[in-house]
Amino acid sequence: MKKIVDKLKKSKKIVEYKHLLQKNKANIRIDNISLSVFACVCKYVFEDEKFIFLAQNDFKAKKAQQDFSAVFDEESIIYFPENEYMLYDISARSTELHAERMKCLYT
């Protein structure tokens, strides 16, 4: 992973993105890139800053969590679980999922 991050440091486009983000003048969307490479890009661009990664679905979010764990410290990655959809009475819902989501928001 370190070799990939070192190559990214030489990329003019990635360096430009980093400067724009540091000045809070840009939101960046990168498509058609593997999550593993994207995790390396984030490691270089954000270093120790906080950022949010939004996934299209829960499967991709869990995959991203694994890929980000390879580059960032495990405790710095927080997975925000998707809503629990129940087909029966709402009063029968478990509060564990709700508590886990709230913990994510306030960490």
Side-chain angles (χ1 to χ4, degrees):
M1 293 289 181
K2 181 153 175 47
K3 289 182 181 181
I4 295 172
V5 174
D6 289 340
K7 286 193 178 225
L8 290 171
K9 290 179 181 179
K10 296 175 184 172
S11 167
K12 291 179 184 178
K13 196 70 163 173
I14 300 296
V15 171
E16 179 185 337
Y17 288 153
K18 182 175 182 173
H19 291 300
L20 288 172
L21 286 169
Q22 287 174 339
K23 294 177 183 177
N24 292 323
K25 292 186 177 181
N27 292 323
I28 295 177
R29 176 182 172 160
I30 301 175
D31 291 324
N32 300 325
I33 187 172
S34 76
L35 283 173
S36 304
V37 174
F38 184 71
C40 292
V41 169
C42 289
K43 179 65 176 176
Y44 169 66
V45 171
F46 295 107
E47 295 177 16
D48 295 325
E49 296 178 38
K50 291 183 180 182
F51 67 95
I52 296 174
F53 173 79
L54 301 174
Q56 293 171 333
N57 55 45
D58 195 51
F59 175 76
K60 288 186 179 181
K62 288 179 181 176
K63 173 73 172 111
Q65 182 184 23
Q66 292 173 350
D67 289 341
F68 280 95
S69 295
V71 195
F72 291 93
D73 294 331
E74 188 84 27
E75 60 273 356
S76 68
I77 300 166
I78 302 170
Y79 167 73
F80 189 77
E82 69 177 331
N83 271 338
E84 180 179 36
Y85 297 104
M86 299 281 185
L87 298 176
Y88 53 91
D89 190 14
I90 288 180
S91 63
R93 265 176 96 164
S94 168
T95 57
E96 290 178 19
L97 182 65
H98 181 68
E100 189 176 337
R101 290 172 62 93
M102 294 303 288
K103 181 181 171 189
C104 270
L105 291 173
Y106 292 105
T107 300

mmCIF file of all heavy atoms in Angstrom, residues 32-63:
data_model
loop_
_atom_site.group_PDB
_atom_site.id
_atom_site.type_symbol
_atom_site.label_atom_id
_atom_site.label_comp_id
_atom_site.label_asym_id
_atom_site.label_seq_id
_atom_site.Cartn_x
_atom_site.Cartn_y
_atom_site.Cartn_z
ATOM 1 N N ASN A 32 -15.446 4.854 -10.995
ATOM 2 C CA ASN A 32 -14.704 3.830 -11.752
ATOM 3 C C ASN A 32 -13.298 3.600 -11.213
ATOM 4 O O ASN A 32 -12.325 3.562 -11.951
ATOM 5 C CB ASN A 32 -14.639 4.193 -13.243
ATOM 6 C CG ASN A 32 -16.018 4.304 -13.850
ATOM 7 O OD1 ASN A 32 -16.919 3.561 -13.473
ATOM 8 N ND2 ASN A 32 -16.187 5.239 -14.760
ATOM 9 N N ILE A 33 -13.206 3.456 -9.920
ATOM 10 C CA ILE A 33 -11.938 3.161 -9.272
ATOM 11 C C ILE A 33 -12.211 2.083 -8.223
ATOM 12 O O ILE A 33 -13.271 2.074 -7.606
ATOM 13 C CB ILE A 33 -11.333 4.441 -8.635
ATOM 14 C CG1 ILE A 33 -9.932 4.192 -8.101
ATOM 15 C CG2 ILE A 33 -12.220 4.993 -7.559
ATOM 16 C CD1 ILE A 33 -9.217 5.458 -7.648
ATOM 17 N N SER A 34 -11.282 1.176 -8.056
ATOM 18 C CA SER A 34 -11.491 0.122 -7.058
ATOM 19 C C SER A 34 -11.438 0.737 -5.659
ATOM 20 O O SER A 34 -10.759 1.747 -5.432
ATOM 21 C CB SER A 34 -10.442 -0.973 -7.203
ATOM 22 O OG SER A 34 -9.206 -0.534 -6.678
ATOM 23 N N LEU A 35 -12.143 0.123 -4.739
ATOM 24 C CA LEU A 35 -12.160 0.648 -3.370
ATOM 25 C C LEU A 35 -10.781 0.585 -2.723
ATOM 26 O O LEU A 35 -10.425 1.447 -1.922
ATOM 27 C CB LEU A 35 -13.171 -0.126 -2.523
ATOM 28 C CG LEU A 35 -14.627 0.241 -2.751
ATOM 29 C CD1 LEU A 35 -15.544 -0.703 -1.997
ATOM 30 C CD2 LEU A 35 -14.890 1.668 -2.322
ATOM 31 N N SER A 36 -9.987 -0.407 -3.085
ATOM 32 C CA SER A 36 -8.639 -0.522 -2.520
ATOM 33 C C SER A 36 -7.774 0.668 -2.918
ATOM 34 O O SER A 36 -7.086 1.256 -2.089
ATOM 35 C CB SER A 36 -7.975 -1.819 -2.984
ATOM 36 O OG SER A 36 -8.755 -2.918 -2.652
ATOM 37 N N VAL A 37 -7.832 1.023 -4.197
ATOM 38 C CA VAL A 37 -7.060 2.181 -4.674
ATOM 39 C C VAL A 37 -7.641 3.468 -4.096
ATOM 40 O O VAL A 37 -6.902 4.368 -3.687
ATOM 41 C CB VAL A 37 -7.033 2.224 -6.217
ATOM 42 C CG1 VAL A 37 -6.377 3.495 -6.713
ATOM 43 C CG2 VAL A 37 -6.318 1.001 -6.764
ATOM 44 N N PHE A 38 -8.960 3.539 -4.022
ATOM 45 C CA PHE A 38 -9.604 4.718 -3.449
ATOM 46 C C PHE A 38 -9.189 4.914 -1.989
ATOM 47 O O PHE A 38 -8.964 6.039 -1.549
ATOM 48 C CB PHE A 38 -11.126 4.607 -3.554
ATOM 49 C CG PHE A 38 -11.844 5.817 -3.063
ATOM 50 C CD1 PHE A 38 -11.809 7.000 -3.775
ATOM 51 C CD2 PHE A 38 -12.540 5.785 -1.863
ATOM 52 C CE1 PHE A 38 -12.458 8.139 -3.307
ATOM 53 C CE2 PHE A 38 -13.187 6.906 -1.391
ATOM 54 C CZ PHE A 38 -13.152 8.089 -2.118
ATOM 55 N N ALA A 39 -9.054 3.827 -1.238
ATOM 56 C CA ALA A 39 -8.603 3.913 0.154
ATOM 57 C C ALA A 39 -7.197 4.511 0.221
ATOM 58 O O ALA A 39 -6.905 5.339 1.086
ATOM 59 C CB ALA A 39 -8.646 2.540 0.818
ATOM 60 N N CYS A 40 -6.344 4.119 -0.724
ATOM 61 C CA CYS A 40 -4.985 4.685 -0.771
ATOM 62 C C CYS A 40 -5.019 6.168 -1.115
ATOM 63 O O CYS A 40 -4.263 6.955 -0.540
ATOM 64 C CB CYS A 40 -4.136 3.925 -1.782
ATOM 65 S SG CYS A 40 -3.768 2.238 -1.300
ATOM 66 N N VAL A 41 -5.879 6.541 -2.042
ATOM 67 C CA VAL A 41 -6.024 7.963 -2.400
ATOM 68 C C VAL A 41 -6.463 8.747 -1.167
ATOM 69 O O VAL A 41 -5.907 9.810 -0.863
ATOM 70 C CB VAL A 41 -7.047 8.148 -3.551
ATOM 71 C CG1 VAL A 41 -7.390 9.617 -3.740
ATOM 72 C CG2 VAL A 41 -6.512 7.553 -4.837
ATOM 73 N N CYS A 42 -7.426 8.227 -0.438
ATOM 74 C CA CYS A 42 -7.913 8.910 0.773
ATOM 75 C C CYS A 42 -6.823 9.024 1.828
ATOM 76 O O CYS A 42 -6.714 10.033 2.513
ATOM 77 C CB CYS A 42 -9.120 8.177 1.341
ATOM 78 S SG CYS A 42 -10.592 8.353 0.326
ATOM 79 N N LYS A 43 -6.010 7.991 1.953
ATOM 80 C CA LYS A 43 -4.911 8.020 2.930
ATOM 81 C C LYS A 43 -3.953 9.161 2.609
ATOM 82 O O LYS A 43 -3.510 9.889 3.494
ATOM 83 C CB LYS A 43 -4.169 6.678 2.931
ATOM 84 C CG LYS A 43 -2.999 6.612 3.876
ATOM 85 C CD LYS A 43 -3.431 6.714 5.310
ATOM 86 C CE LYS A 43 -2.244 6.545 6.240
ATOM 87 N NZ LYS A 43 -2.599 6.723 7.634
ATOM 88 N N TYR A 44 -3.644 9.337 1.331
ATOM 89 C CA TYR A 44 -2.747 10.415 0.949
ATOM 90 C C TYR A 44 -3.416 11.782 1.054
ATOM 91 O O TYR A 44 -2.852 12.717 1.604
ATOM 92 C CB TYR A 44 -2.211 10.210 -0.470
ATOM 93 C CG TYR A 44 -1.494 11.436 -0.987
ATOM 94 C CD1 TYR A 44 -0.307 11.854 -0.394
ATOM 95 C CD2 TYR A 44 -2.009 12.196 -2.017
ATOM 96 C CE1 TYR A 44 0.348 12.987 -0.842
ATOM 97 C CE2 TYR A 44 -1.364 13.329 -2.469
ATOM 98 C CZ TYR A 44 -0.185 13.719 -1.873
ATOM 99 O OH TYR A 44 0.448 14.845 -2.303
ATOM 100 N N VAL A 45 -4.624 11.888 0.546
ATOM 101 C CA VAL A 45 -5.301 13.184 0.494
ATOM 102 C C VAL A 45 -5.694 13.670 1.880
ATOM 103 O O VAL A 45 -5.481 14.822 2.233
ATOM 104 C CB VAL A 45 -6.544 13.120 -0.433
ATOM 105 C CG1 VAL A 45 -7.370 14.379 -0.323
ATOM 106 C CG2 VAL A 45 -6.110 12.898 -1.875
ATOM 107 N N PHE A 46 -6.260 12.783 2.686
ATOM 108 C CA PHE A 46 -6.791 13.220 3.976
ATOM 109 C C PHE A 46 -5.836 13.021 5.142
ATOM 110 O O PHE A 46 -6.010 13.624 6.191
ATOM 111 C CB PHE A 46 -8.108 12.491 4.271
ATOM 112 C CG PHE A 46 -9.192 12.844 3.315
ATOM 113 C CD1 PHE A 46 -9.602 11.944 2.354
ATOM 114 C CD2 PHE A 46 -9.789 14.086 3.348
ATOM 115 C CE1 PHE A 46 -10.610 12.264 1.447
ATOM 116 C CE2 PHE A 46 -10.790 14.423 2.449
ATOM 117 C CZ PHE A 46 -11.198 13.510 1.508
ATOM 118 N N GLU A 47 -4.862 12.145 4.983
ATOM 119 C CA GLU A 47 -3.907 11.820 6.036
ATOM 120 C C GLU A 47 -4.634 11.557 7.347
ATOM 121 O O GLU A 47 -5.270 10.535 7.493
ATOM 122 C CB GLU A 47 -2.847 12.912 6.147
ATOM 123 C CG GLU A 47 -1.990 12.997 4.900
ATOM 124 C CD GLU A 47 -0.984 14.105 4.936
ATOM 125 O OE1 GLU A 47 -0.704 14.649 6.019
ATOM 126 O OE2 GLU A 47 -0.474 14.432 3.861
ATOM 127 N N ASP A 48 -4.573 12.480 8.311
ATOM 128 C CA ASP A 48 -5.220 12.254 9.610
ATOM 129 C C ASP A 48 -6.510 13.033 9.783
ATOM 130 O O ASP A 48 -7.055 13.099 10.879
ATOM 131 C CB ASP A 48 -4.241 12.605 10.745
ATOM 132 C CG ASP A 48 -3.045 11.670 10.746
ATOM 133 O OD1 ASP A 48 -3.237 10.482 10.423
ATOM 134 O OD2 ASP A 48 -1.932 12.114 11.051
ATOM 135 N N GLU A 49 -7.003 13.658 8.725
ATOM 136 C CA GLU A 49 -8.251 14.413 8.817
ATOM 137 C C GLU A 49 -9.449 13.470 8.742
ATOM 138 O O GLU A 49 -9.367 12.390 8.187
ATOM 139 C CB GLU A 49 -8.336 15.410 7.663
ATOM 140 C CG GLU A 49 -7.268 16.474 7.692
ATOM 141 C CD GLU A 49 -7.375 17.396 6.493
ATOM 142 O OE1 GLU A 49 -8.498 17.713 6.088
ATOM 143 O OE2 GLU A 49 -6.320 17.778 5.974
ATOM 144 N N LYS A 50 -10.569 13.925 9.280
ATOM 145 C CA LYS A 50 -11.795 13.146 9.209
ATOM 146 C C LYS A 50 -12.484 13.391 7.872
ATOM 147 O O LYS A 50 -12.423 14.482 7.327
ATOM 148 C CB LYS A 50 -12.759 13.541 10.337
ATOM 149 C CG LYS A 50 -12.273 13.140 11.705
ATOM 150 C CD LYS A 50 -13.296 13.501 12.751
ATOM 151 C CE LYS A 50 -12.821 13.105 14.125
ATOM 152 N NZ LYS A 50 -13.820 13.413 15.149
ATOM 153 N N PHE A 51 -13.118 12.350 7.354
ATOM 154 C CA PHE A 51 -13.901 12.485 6.136
ATOM 155 C C PHE A 51 -15.014 11.448 6.155
ATOM 156 O O PHE A 51 -14.996 10.509 6.948
ATOM 157 C CB PHE A 51 -13.036 12.355 4.875
ATOM 158 C CG PHE A 51 -12.448 10.993 4.668
ATOM 159 C CD1 PHE A 51 -13.091 10.067 3.862
ATOM 160 C CD2 PHE A 51 -11.261 10.631 5.266
ATOM 161 C CE1 PHE A 51 -12.555 8.818 3.660
ATOM 162 C CE2 PHE A 51 -10.717 9.382 5.081
ATOM 163 C CZ PHE A 51 -11.364 8.469 4.270
ATOM 164 N N ILE A 52 -15.980 11.628 5.273
ATOM 165 C CA ILE A 52 -17.117 10.709 5.189
ATOM 166 C C ILE A 52 -17.092 10.034 3.825
ATOM 167 O O ILE A 52 -16.947 10.697 2.799
ATOM 168 C CB ILE A 52 -18.454 11.457 5.367
ATOM 169 C CG1 ILE A 52 -18.525 12.048 6.765
ATOM 170 C CG2 ILE A 52 -19.633 10.532 5.110
ATOM 171 C CD1 ILE A 52 -19.750 12.924 6.984
ATOM 172 N N PHE A 53 -17.246 8.736 3.834
ATOM 173 C CA PHE A 53 -17.369 7.964 2.600
ATOM 174 C C PHE A 53 -18.794 7.455 2.524
ATOM 175 O O PHE A 53 -19.280 6.787 3.425
ATOM 176 C CB PHE A 53 -16.382 6.785 2.610
ATOM 177 C CG PHE A 53 -16.574 5.856 1.446
ATOM 178 C CD1 PHE A 53 -16.073 6.189 0.203
ATOM 179 C CD2 PHE A 53 -17.265 4.672 1.589
ATOM 180 C CE1 PHE A 53 -16.255 5.350 -0.886
ATOM 181 C CE2 PHE A 53 -17.457 3.819 0.512
ATOM 182 C CZ PHE A 53 -16.945 4.157 -0.726
ATOM 183 N N LEU A 54 -19.489 7.785 1.445
ATOM 184 C CA LEU A 54 -20.863 7.341 1.246
ATOM 185 C C LEU A 54 -20.883 6.225 0.204
ATOM 186 O O LEU A 54 -20.360 6.404 -0.891
ATOM 187 C CB LEU A 54 -21.745 8.491 0.776
ATOM 188 C CG LEU A 54 -21.820 9.697 1.706
ATOM 189 C CD1 LEU A 54 -22.616 10.810 1.058
ATOM 190 C CD2 LEU A 54 -22.441 9.300 3.017
ATOM 191 N N ALA A 55 -21.493 5.112 0.561
ATOM 192 C CA ALA A 55 -21.581 3.978 -0.357
ATOM 193 C C ALA A 55 -22.992 3.873 -0.921
ATOM 194 O O ALA A 55 -23.952 4.346 -0.313
ATOM 195 C CB ALA A 55 -21.212 2.696 0.373
ATOM 196 N N GLN A 56 -23.105 3.219 -2.068
ATOM 197 C CA GLN A 56 -24.398 3.061 -2.719
ATOM 198 C C GLN A 56 -25.316 2.107 -1.966
ATOM 199 O O GLN A 56 -26.532 2.239 -2.016
ATOM 200 C CB GLN A 56 -24.206 2.543 -4.142
ATOM 201 C CG GLN A 56 -23.522 3.535 -5.036
ATOM 202 C CD GLN A 56 -23.155 2.919 -6.377
ATOM 203 O OE1 GLN A 56 -22.940 1.726 -6.487
ATOM 204 N NE2 GLN A 56 -23.088 3.764 -7.392
ATOM 205 N N ASN A 57 -24.737 1.136 -1.285
ATOM 206 C CA ASN A 57 -25.545 0.172 -0.544
ATOM 207 C C ASN A 57 -24.729 -0.398 0.608
ATOM 208 O O ASN A 57 -23.538 -0.108 0.755
ATOM 209 C CB ASN A 57 -26.071 -0.937 -1.470
ATOM 210 C CG ASN A 57 -24.960 -1.634 -2.230
ATOM 211 O OD1 ASN A 57 -23.930 -1.973 -1.665
ATOM 212 N ND2 ASN A 57 -25.167 -1.824 -3.526
ATOM 213 N N ASP A 58 -25.387 -1.214 1.418
ATOM 214 C CA ASP A 58 -24.743 -1.761 2.607
ATOM 215 C C ASP A 58 -23.587 -2.694 2.254
ATOM 216 O O ASP A 58 -22.557 -2.704 2.922
ATOM 217 C CB ASP A 58 -25.784 -2.489 3.462
ATOM 218 C CG ASP A 58 -25.281 -2.759 4.863
ATOM 219 O OD1 ASP A 58 -24.795 -1.811 5.506
ATOM 220 O OD2 ASP A 58 -25.358 -3.927 5.309
ATOM 221 N N PHE A 59 -23.738 -3.476 1.189
ATOM 222 C CA PHE A 59 -22.670 -4.384 0.766
ATOM 223 C C PHE A 59 -21.400 -3.608 0.433
ATOM 224 O O PHE A 59 -20.307 -3.956 0.876
ATOM 225 C CB PHE A 59 -23.122 -5.210 -0.451
ATOM 226 C CG PHE A 59 -22.038 -6.075 -1.016
ATOM 227 C CD1 PHE A 59 -21.667 -7.250 -0.382
ATOM 228 C CD2 PHE A 59 -21.374 -5.699 -2.177
ATOM 229 C CE1 PHE A 59 -20.648 -8.049 -0.902
ATOM 230 C CE2 PHE A 59 -20.367 -6.489 -2.701
ATOM 231 C CZ PHE A 59 -20.004 -7.669 -2.059
ATOM 232 N N LYS A 60 -21.537 -2.533 -0.341
ATOM 233 C CA LYS A 60 -20.374 -1.721 -0.713
ATOM 234 C C LYS A 60 -19.796 -0.994 0.503
ATOM 235 O O LYS A 60 -18.595 -0.769 0.588
ATOM 236 C CB LYS A 60 -20.733 -0.730 -1.809
ATOM 237 C CG LYS A 60 -20.927 -1.411 -3.142
ATOM 238 C CD LYS A 60 -21.133 -0.417 -4.252
ATOM 239 C CE LYS A 60 -21.300 -1.177 -5.578
ATOM 240 N NZ LYS A 60 -21.488 -0.277 -6.695
ATOM 241 N N ALA A 61 -20.649 -0.617 1.439
ATOM 242 C CA ALA A 61 -20.169 0.043 2.658
ATOM 243 C C ALA A 61 -19.298 -0.905 3.484
ATOM 244 O O ALA A 61 -18.244 -0.511 3.994
ATOM 245 C CB ALA A 61 -21.349 0.529 3.486
ATOM 246 N N LYS A 62 -19.726 -2.150 3.599
ATOM 247 C CA LYS A 62 -18.933 -3.136 4.359
ATOM 248 C C LYS A 62 -17.628 -3.458 3.633
ATOM 249 O O LYS A 62 -16.588 -3.629 4.266
ATOM 250 C CB LYS A 62 -19.749 -4.395 4.591
ATOM 251 C CG LYS A 62 -20.843 -4.178 5.614
ATOM 252 C CD LYS A 62 -21.671 -5.420 5.837
ATOM 253 C CE LYS A 62 -22.775 -5.123 6.851
ATOM 254 N NZ LYS A 62 -23.669 -6.249 7.044
ATOM 255 N N LYS A 63 -17.673 -3.523 2.301
ATOM 256 C CA LYS A 63 -16.459 -3.760 1.517
ATOM 257 C C LYS A 63 -15.499 -2.584 1.679
ATOM 258 O O LYS A 63 -14.294 -2.775 1.857
ATOM 259 C CB LYS A 63 -16.841 -3.938 0.040
ATOM 260 C CG LYS A 63 -15.681 -4.026 -0.919
ATOM 261 C CD LYS A 63 -14.962 -5.340 -0.826
ATOM 262 C CE LYS A 63 -13.929 -5.464 -1.936
ATOM 263 N NZ LYS A 63 -12.569 -5.429 -1.485
#
